[in-house]
Amino acid sequence: MAQEITQMDLKNFFLTILAILFTPRRFWQEYSFRTPESGENLQKDYALPVIAMVQLMKFPIIGTPRLAMFNALATVVLDIAALYLITGVMLRLLERERIVLPETAATALAAFSLTPIWLVEPFYFLGGFSWLIAAVATGWAIRILGEGMRFLFERHPLSANPPQRNAALLIAVVSAAIFLVQRSFHRLIDTIPV
């Protein structure tokens, strides 16, 4: 599953999502031992399709095509910005610890860890229970991040703990910001006359 990230077909795409969500240890083990492919672009080949799929799932929930399109565009921009923010800050945190990690590996950590947060975005419309769903997704994202860091940083066992805590805090803060901004945007959409 982890070997074929670029140009994957639909079946492997969903198998990758399932592996990340339900068997993150095995997924990261396979991912860490694979050889990187030339031209690998996780933003294009994994993150953007997951984000787009989730936005399409929101269309029936919102009901009005125009409002759903505005919501989808704003959320795509927010999710991609969060991905780039987490990748950049994670690289900076690792640089401070003198840990060299390729940008593709940092992007993989961010993109695969954000998967549960992206997948629960349609449930942010549930009102009072949406914060609970967001908290569970954030906890699961931190678990996926921890598994990924453990396998990708086997060469730096002593210095990998502080970046792992900082990266987990980063994921938690960014996912909370995503949740709050999206909830605010949902309330704004609700006030727009159709």
Side-chain angles (χ1 to χ4, degrees):
M1 279 173 260
Q3 282 86 359
E4 303 166 353
I5 299 296
T6 60
Q7 302 173 357
M8 67 175 84
D9 60 359
L10 200 55
K11 178 182 174 186
N12 286 335
F13 175 71
F14 285 110
L15 287 175
T16 300
I17 292 173
L18 291 174
I20 291 166
L21 293 176
F22 298 113
T23 57
R25 180 174 291 148
R26 194 174 94 213
F27 173 80
W28 282 113
Q29 188 175 17
E30 289 178 14
Y31 187 83
S32 65
F33 290 117
R34 71 179 185 77
T35 55
E37 300 173 20
S38 64
E40 182 175 87
N41 185 348
L42 284 174
Q43 292 99 336
K44 179 179 69 73
D45 297 325
Y46 178 76
L48 198 55
V50 171
I51 293 169
M53 176 186 68
V54 170
Q55 301 319 309
L56 290 175
M57 290 175 8
K58 288 183 190 178
F59 273 58
I61 296 170
I62 295 174
T64 308
R66 183 176 178 190
L67 296 179
M69 185 58 73
F70 286 136
N71 185 325
L73 290 173
T75 305
V76 165
V77 169
L78 180 66
D79 288 342
I80 295 296
L83 176 64
Y84 279 108
L85 175 72
I86 290 173
T87 301
V89 172
M90 200 175 303
L91 284 170
R92 184 75 173 136
L93 288 172
L94 295 172
E95 184 181 291
R96 274 192 3 204
E97 296 290 326
R98 293 185 174 91
I99 298 174
V100 178
L101 187 70
E103 187 175 342
T104 56
T107 303
L109 279 170
F112 295 141
S113 297
L114 285 171
T115 299
I117 293 167
W118 292 331
L119 291 177
V120 299
E121 284 178 0
F123 298 105
Y124 291 173
F125 287 98
L126 289 180
F129 288 107
S130 61
W131 66 269
L132 180 63
I133 293 168
V136 169
T138 300
W140 201 252
I142 291 171
R143 180 178 183 267
I144 293 169
L145 175 75
E147 293 290 340
M149 290 186 105
R150 191 176 67 157
F151 282 107
L152 292 178
F153 296 138
E154 283 181 339
R155 297 183 188 114
H156 305 283
L158 296 176
S159 60
N161 288 331
Q164 187 170 351
R165 282 193 298 270
N166 292 340
L169 179 63
L170 175 66
I171 290 279
V173 167
V174 170
S175 67
I178 289 172
F179 173 73
L180 292 174
V181 169
Q182 284 192 18
R183 288 289 295 162
S184 300
F185 195 72
H186 294 244
R187 289 178 189 236
L188 178 69
I189 284 178
D190 287 341
T191 62
I192 296 174
V194 182

